[in-house]
Amino acid sequence: MIPFLDLQKINLQYAEEIRDAIDRVVRSGVYIRGNENRFFEEEYSNYIGSRYAIGCGNGLNALSLIFKAYKKTGVLDSGDQVIVPANTYIASILSISENGLTPVPVEPDKETFLIDQQKIETSITPRTKAVLIVHLYGQCAYTDKIGDICRKHNLLLIEDNAQAHGCVFKGEKTGSLGHAAAHSFYPSKNLGAMGDGGAVTTDDPIIADTIRTLANYGSEIKNIFQFKGTNSRLDEIQAAVLRVKLKHLEEDNHQRKNIAKQYLKEIKNRNIKLPVVSDFDAHVFHLFPVLCEKREHLMRHLKGKGISTAIHYPIPPHLQESYREWNHLKFPITEYIHSAELSLPISPVLTQSEVEEIISAINNWDE
Ligand SMILES: *Cc1c(COP(=O)(O)O)cnc(C)c1O
């Protein structure tokens, strides 16, 4: 059996180090906002190349805290429009709605699955105040043109980096390319904790401070509540685990890249479209998505050979019940991707013989 993602195997590689890290927390007597958080924030901001990193409860909170902070500081206002890819995980869009802002979904490019830079510009209205780009499947969504558009129209550029820890665009990491970025450390992400976790990175000291305060009930000084805040903190135990995992992230991403290169070179089946990758630095292969019009057949065929796959994601946000108001809208490229996408196993612990088994099972499939 080849599981889609063997989290147990991933974490057991570092079992000893993780045990030591957790033990350090147990013995410290400080379980919230202690040294592990302080060191992780320092190490993670250094890694990303941003001035600040602020740990928080999860990736959705990280996104949401960014928008909340820009509202509190008067940069964004209720009803402002935020451009977002139509094909993303629901969290990206929820973070906008949650803050009384208006998400404006924009179609992706059908080759890269990333937000279409041309369509960003044509979607701008006088109420547009921000663009949330998503480095989907681990590939960098930022382009110089997107940077130019945001500067020209005075728009905030926010990154959803939940799937792309370690991804590099022209020498700089995603998470340092816009005004602020949200990171998720959900266990299955490239940098995964052993529970929930998230962080915001930014170079802006005011936004960093505001987020830190908002995430602590709106309080910077004990018992003084400046904002109607929330509680979203990174546990000390998760911060300690993440410090261990961060040390191995580069080597883990390197393994993912090698598997992706082999898939791209050796998968040959006319019923399957492989993803387009132009720059291997700008992709950390959180997922390896292929397109296949008969994906249910392919999925069943692979299952029969003991290979598990997954769909990211079966139903796009605009067709979900929670976004009933969008159900009548048509996003043909998004709908096509969601109807044909199938993710193959890819992870730092997939063995060479497993990779070969997957390739041969796909190449031998005849719909
Ligand atoms: C996982 C993910 C999130 C949310 O992260 P959580 O930690 O689960 O809240 C947000 N955006 C994208 C693109 C994701 O993949």
Side-chain angles (χ1 to χ4, degrees):
M1 273 301 295
I2 304 179
F4 177 66
L5 182 65
D6 193 340
L7 280 180
Q8 186 185 37
K9 195 170 173 191
I10 288 177
N11 287 323
L12 281 177
Q13 296 179 100
Y14 315 122
E16 196 91 347
E17 281 178 88
I18 290 173
R19 241 192 313 267
D20 287 348
I22 293 177
D23 194 47
R24 202 166 59 223
V25 177
V26 172
R27 282 184 284 106
S28 77
V30 180
Y31 307 112
I32 291 282
R33 296 188 122 203
N35 278 340
E36 299 297 331
N37 258 266
R38 203 156 53 79
F39 290 133
F40 174 67
E41 288 177 349
E42 201 175 298
E43 288 155 11
Y44 195 62
S45 61
N46 282 339
Y47 177 76
I48 294 293
S50 61
R51 276 177 76 186
Y52 307 98
I54 306 104
C56 66
N58 56 58
L60 172 60
N61 286 175
L63 282 161
S64 192
L65 284 163
I66 292 172
F67 289 115
K68 207 184 276 268
Y70 279 111
K71 282 188 83 179
K72 293 294 178 205
T73 52
V75 179
L76 292 177
D77 208 351
S78 295
D80 284 349
Q81 293 174 350
V82 181
I83 289 175
V84 62
N87 64 321
T88 180
Y89 184 59
I90 198 86
S92 323
I93 298 181
L94 284 175
S95 71
I96 303 169
S97 308
E98 235 175 50
N99 282 290
L101 303 163
T102 306
V104 176
V106 164
E107 284 268 65
D109 177 272
K110 64 179 188 309
E111 298 295 331
T112 63
F113 315 128
L114 302 171
I115 192 163
D116 185 328
Q117 50 183 18
Q118 241 77 41
K119 289 182 191 148
I120 292 179
E121 195 147 38
T122 53
S123 305
I124 292 172
T125 73
R127 295 237 59 180
T128 309
K129 293 289 152 56
V131 178
L132 173 60
I133 56 172
V134 181
H135 305 303
L136 196 70
Y137 305 146
Q139 185 163 24
C140 178
Y142 180 85
T143 62
D144 289 325
K145 178 158 168 109
I146 292 177
D148 289 344
I149 293 169
C150 290
R151 273 185 295 275
K152 180 172 149 201
H153 297 273
N154 203 19
L155 307 176
L156 286 173
L157 179 59
I158 312 298
E159 301 173 74
D160 181 338
N161 200 47
Q163 301 188 356
H165 322 99
C167 183
V168 176
F169 174 82
K170 294 188 180 171
E172 290 181 68
K173 294 237 168 58
T174 57
S176 72
L177 303 170
H179 293 95
H183 310 255
S184 163
F185 307 123
Y186 183 79
S188 67
K189 310 289 190 190
N190 289 34
L191 178 58
M194 298 182 82
D196 274 313
V200 174
T201 51
T202 182
D203 285 343
D204 184 334
I206 295 170
I207 289 304
D209 270 355
T210 308
I211 286 176
R212 214 176 273 288
T213 304
L214 281 169
N216 186 44
Y217 293 107
S219 167
E220 193 180 346
I221 303 159
K222 202 171 167 68
N223 293 320
I224 306 293
F225 300 96
Q226 202 178 334
F227 305 119
K228 296 187 187 77
T230 185
N231 173 8
S232 182
R233 299 178 292 223
L234 181 62
D235 286 354
E236 281 288 282
I237 286 185
Q238 298 308 337
V241 170
L242 287 165
R243 291 182 66 201
V244 172
K245 303 267 312 262
L246 180 59
K247 285 194 281 180
H248 300 284
L249 178 60
E250 286 291 307
E251 115 208 11
D252 282 358
N253 282 344
H254 185 71
Q255 299 283 23
R256 289 174 184 270
K257 258 176 236 207
N258 282 343
I259 295 166
K261 283 180 182 164
Q262 201 175 344
Y263 279 160
L264 289 168
K265 189 155 153 250
E266 296 176 21
I267 293 177
K268 291 191 169 67
N269 187 317
R270 63 190 166 85
N271 298 307
I272 290 161
K273 191 176 175 311
L274 294 169
V276 173
V277 181
S278 48
D279 176 357
F280 279 87
D281 286 335
H283 206 324
V284 290
F285 298 96
H286 173 58
L287 296 169
F288 190 90
V290 301
L291 296 181
C292 175
E293 275 166 32
K294 299 221 167 109
R295 80 169 160 203
E296 268 70 31
H297 291 196
L298 176 59
M299 216 173 172
R300 230 175 303 124
H301 165 80
L302 293 174
K303 191 90 227 172
K305 304 264 175 201
I307 300 163
S308 297
T309 52
I311 297 173
H312 297 89
Y313 301 89
I315 306 169
H318 74 279
L319 298 178
Q320 297 285 354
E321 200 183 331
S322 54
Y323 282 94
R324 245 169 256 108
E325 64 276 30
W326 288 350
N327 287 177
H328 67 285
L329 299 178
K330 299 243 174 321
F331 293 99
I333 299 171
T334 296
E335 284 160 35
Y336 176 70
I337 294 169
H338 286 258
S339 73
E341 194 276 346
L342 189 68
S343 302
L344 305 183
I346 190 162
S347 92
V349 295
L350 206 60
T351 66
Q352 182 56 34
S353 70
E354 288 172 327
V355 173
E356 282 162 20
E357 212 176 307
I358 295 165
I359 293 169
S360 117
I362 295 175
N363 289 351
N364 290 327
W365 176 61
D366 191 357
E367 53 159 333

